[in-house]
């Protein structure tokens, strides 16, 4: 069974939404998901960038009336490390 | 199989830390980045709230650097812990409220802590001797290494040849002859190295990466401390100092006036914490009142608000809303420009 967590990062200026995501995702298992909502336009770049360098997957991203919503799936870090070193 | 040597790099988002990390990566060292969020960072998107910044890409440059280098970046919130550095810097302030030397010591100390917890071997920074008057001098380099507790596990690849050998060099983890001897304020050497490494896009922050080096910002922080008769701050305090026009007509209250749509939207987020003013008859800014204003002060605040409306010749209706949501209209005449005293502007 996977876990799904909602993170409200509205009103937070970057990099705080990234820090929220980073702290929330750490104890999760591969395949668990986070829905993050933010209002700082900077998240449009920062969230996908942070996910990419840490091996997590942005499965959904949308913008509606100044609010940005992301669904992020926790990546399998061990598998990613093995893949990158092979 | 030999152990993979690992270095943690302090990544600010600027060119120097990028070059330092890339130099060490090139020596087959595994590098990960650390970026500390103090609340005073210019790097955040506070400025991106303004429409005038719309032509710039809204991105965190430290993340961009990490992505470009293909390294992990860990962003650490140090807002609370960092307060003591700002309020009681052992080595004093720079030109404004910037405690640069204490700040660097604090960050290296945090990096050393992270290194110990994460099983990394040494720390790298983009420091260059002589580049910053307060913290990047030949005589402060050992102070940072010693007072942070990093000692010879701190390597500055861009100026290493001007400094004593560090542990990574002594151990043969990195080759000293592939490090650099940059010094001084000129960036020519770094720019040439960037070109050589194929780095063509990098942030060029004017005046450093911290709002505490900014004269106007420091003045606003001093005003905040003076008005509250207390040298302390919250994250909201220091973020709000970055946003809007700040006007203090008297010691009882200050106005924070949105300058653009982006700032008005941001300030709206504080409407449950502050009494706020918003013109309903005309287009105009959102204004927060910070302090304990009297009824006359509210009247004055409304007239100042009206002054920043689209039409300044007519009566303006200003909605005054308390934090708990109770709202009332005030019809006022805009305060003439000559009655807005220069010394009110913080």
């Amino acid at each position: 069974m996977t876990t799904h967590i909602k993170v409200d990062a509205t009103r937070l200026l970057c990099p705080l939404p990234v820090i929220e995501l980073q702290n929330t995702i750490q104890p999760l298992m591969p395949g668990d998901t986070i829905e993050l909502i933010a209002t700082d336009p900077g998240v449009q770049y920062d969230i996908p960038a942070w996910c990419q360098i840490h091996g997590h997957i942005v499965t959904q991203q949308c913008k509606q009336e100044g609010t940005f919503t992301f669904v992020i799936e926790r990546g399998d870090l061990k598998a990613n490390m093995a893949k990158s070193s092979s | 199989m030999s152990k993979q040597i690992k270095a943690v790099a302090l990544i600010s988002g600027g060119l120097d830390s990028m070059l330092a990390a890339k130099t060490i990566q090139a020596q087959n060292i595994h590098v990960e980045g650390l970026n500390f969020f103090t609340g005073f960072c210019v790097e955040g998107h506070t400025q991106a709230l303004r429409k005038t910044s719309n032509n710039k890409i809204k991105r965190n440059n430290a993340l961009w650097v990490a992505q470009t280098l293909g390294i992990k970046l860990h962003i650490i919130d140090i807002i609370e812990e960092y307060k003591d550095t700002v309020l009681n810097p052992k080595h004093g302030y720079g030109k404004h409220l910037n405690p640069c030397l204490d700040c660097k010591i604090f960050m290296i100390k945090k990096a050393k802590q992270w290194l110990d917890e994460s099983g990394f071997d040494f720390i790298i920074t983009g420091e260059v001797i002589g580049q910053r008057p307060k913290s990047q001098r030949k005589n402060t380099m050992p102070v940072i290494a010693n007072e942070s507790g990093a000692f010879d596990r701190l390597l500055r690849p861009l100026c290493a040849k001007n400094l004593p050998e560090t542990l990574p060099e002594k151990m043969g983890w990195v080759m000293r002859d592939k490090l650099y001897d940059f010094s001084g304020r000129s960036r020519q050497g770094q720019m040439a190295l960037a070109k050589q490494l194929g780095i063509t896009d990098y942030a060029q922050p004017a005046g450093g990466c911290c709002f505490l080096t900014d004269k106007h910002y420091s003045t606003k922080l001093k005003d905040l401390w003076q008005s509250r008769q207390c040298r302390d701050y919250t994250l909201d305090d220091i973020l709000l100092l970055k946003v809007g026009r700040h006007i203090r007509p008297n010691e009882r209250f200050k106005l924070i006036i949105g300058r653009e749509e982006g700032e008005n939207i941001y300030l709206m987020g504080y409407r449950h914490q502050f009494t706020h003013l918003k013109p309903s008859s005309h287009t105009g800014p959102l204004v927060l009142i910070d302090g304990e204003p009297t009824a006359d002060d509210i009247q004055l605040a409304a007239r100042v608000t009206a002054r920043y409306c689209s039409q300044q010749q007519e009566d303006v209706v200003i909605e005054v809303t308390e934090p708990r949501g109770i709202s009332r209209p005030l019809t006022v005449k805009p305060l003439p420009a000559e009655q807005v005293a220069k010394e009110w502007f913080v």
Side-chain angles (χ1 to χ4, degrees):
Chain A
M1 200 173 91
T2 57
T3 303
H4 181 75
I5 295 177
K6 285 192 177 185
V7 175
D8 181 1
T10 54
R11 279 190 60 216
L12 297 182
L13 295 177
C14 281
L16 290 169
V18 176
I19 294 173
E20 287 284 319
L21 173 62
Q22 180 181 264
N23 295 344
T24 309
I25 211 163
Q26 199 181 8
L28 299 186
M29 300 295 289
D32 288 346
T33 53
I34 291 174
E35 182 179 334
L36 180 136
I37 304 167
T39 43
D40 185 336
V43 294
Q44 292 172 99
Y45 170 80
D46 291 353
I47 296 292
W50 186 85
C51 289
Q52 192 232 316
I53 61 179
H54 285 271
H56 306 304
I57 307 146
V58 178
T59 58
Q60 283 178 51
Q61 178 176 347
C62 65
K63 178 187 173 185
Q64 199 171 24
E65 292 172 5
T67 299
F68 306 92
T69 305
F70 299 84
V71 177
I72 299 117
E73 183 183 315
R74 197 199 202 288
D76 188 339
L77 303 184
K78 281 182 187 164
N80 287 341
M81 279 175 77
K83 208 166 135 187
S84 64
S85 62
S86 64
Chain B
M1 194 173 138
S2 61
K3 180 198 163 201
Q4 170 66 62
I5 300 298
K6 295 187 277 189
V8 59
L10 265 64
I11 300 288
S12 66
L15 177 61
D16 291 351
S17 56
M18 187 182 197
L19 290 175
K22 183 121 181 146
T23 299
I24 295 305
Q25 273 186 302
Q27 299 209 29
N28 296 320
I29 306 287
H30 173 83
V31 177
E32 295 193 15
L34 279 188
N35 177 263
F36 294 110
F37 181 64
T38 64
F40 295 105
C41 310
V42 174
E43 187 46 53
H45 297 127
T46 325
Q47 291 157 320
L49 292 172
R50 300 193 68 186
K51 271 192 169 177
T52 46
S53 303
N54 274 357
N55 54 347
K56 291 182 185 169
I57 299 169
K58 296 174 180 63
R59 71 181 186 199
N60 180 296
N61 283 316
L63 268 173
W64 179 81
V65 164
Q67 201 177 25
T68 304
L69 296 176
I71 63 171
K72 285 185 180 175
L73 181 76
H74 310 276
I75 307 178
I76 318 278
D77 171 353
I78 53 165
I79 298 160
E80 278 303 313
E81 286 175 87
Y82 188 70
K83 268 189 190 179
D84 191 49
T85 303
V86 177
L87 300 172
N88 308 300
K90 180 182 162 191
H91 296 281
Y93 295 110
K95 200 172 175 188
H96 303 295
L97 284 178
N98 45 312
C100 294
L101 184 50
D102 290 84
C103 176
K104 187 60 85 175
I105 293 167
F106 177 84
M107 288 187 180
I108 302 292
K109 191 184 279 184
K110 292 296 294 178
K112 175 66 170 51
Q113 194 183 327
W114 190 94
L115 172 141
D116 291 337
E117 289 166 3
S118 309
F120 276 53
D121 300 290
F122 65 100
I123 300 164
I124 52 178
T125 71
E127 290 168 287
V128 169
I129 292 173
Q131 186 149 112
R132 302 260 178 215
K134 184 76 181 166
S135 61
Q136 297 189 35
R137 300 196 315 261
K138 188 147 192 172
N139 62 338
T140 59
M141 294 279 175
V143 174
I144 293 167
N146 296 337
E147 291 195 16
S148 65
F151 301 108
D152 64 352
R153 284 187 187 267
L154 174 57
L155 172 66
R156 287 103 166 185
L158 300 187
C159 62
K161 284 182 172 173
N162 297 325
L163 292 167
E165 266 196 324
T166 58
L167 184 73
E169 295 158 274
K170 289 176 196 162
M171 297 295 289
W173 299 336
V174 299
M175 293 167 72
R176 187 172 172 87
D177 63 354
K178 289 191 175 172
L179 303 176
Y180 298 94
D181 61 354
F182 296 136
S183 67
R185 294 182 73 92
S186 166
R187 312 294 306 282
Q188 296 298 321
Q190 289 96 311
M191 286 195 243
L193 177 61
K195 198 174 173 186
Q196 188 188 320
L197 295 172
I199 299 168
T200 52
D201 183 14
Y202 46 86
Q204 301 197 46
C209 57
C210 173
F211 267 104
L212 292 170
T213 61
D214 181 85
K215 181 185 170 187
H216 302 293
Y217 186 88
S218 293
T219 302
K220 284 190 263 188
L221 185 55
K222 282 180 193 164
D223 169 76
L224 181 95
W225 288 341
Q226 194 181 341
S227 69
R228 294 185 186 168
Q229 297 182 342
C230 174
R231 285 178 94 250
D232 199 1
Y233 60 81
T234 64
L235 177 62
D236 282 335
D237 288 334
I238 59 176
L239 291 182
L240 281 171
L241 295 183
K242 299 177 188 175
V243 183
R245 192 179 270 117
H246 290 233
I247 296 181
R248 183 180 294 287
N250 62 46
E251 72 282 0
R252 289 182 297 276
F253 74 107
K254 177 177 80 170
L255 303 175
I256 304 172
I257 303 172
R259 290 171 292 193
E260 298 189 15
E261 190 189 346
E263 288 193 340
N264 288 338
I265 292 168
Y266 181 70
L267 292 175
M268 272 300 276
Y270 288 91
R271 66 190 182 281
H272 300 305
Q273 286 167 253
F274 296 87
T275 294
H276 70 274
L277 311 177
K278 179 80 187 146
S280 56
S281 58
H282 296 73
T283 306
L286 185 98
V287 178
L288 302 182
I289 303 183
D290 181 21
E292 302 287 336
T294 62
D296 283 349
D297 291 336
I298 298 274
Q299 186 79 20
L300 177 60
R303 294 192 68 198
V304 173
T305 303
R307 168 169 163 56
Y308 290 99
C309 286
S310 52
Q311 176 51 261
Q312 295 175 24
Q313 309 303 319
E314 306 163 0
D315 284 357
V316 177
V317 181
I318 305 284
E319 288 294 322
V320 181
T321 309
E322 295 172 22
R324 56 192 164 148
I326 298 169
S327 191
R328 65 193 161 93
L330 262 183
T331 302
V332 295
K333 288 201 183 303
L335 198 67
E338 64 273 15
Q339 289 182 35
V340 181
K342 268 187 186 170
E343 54 271 24
W344 288 4
F345 289 86
V346 182

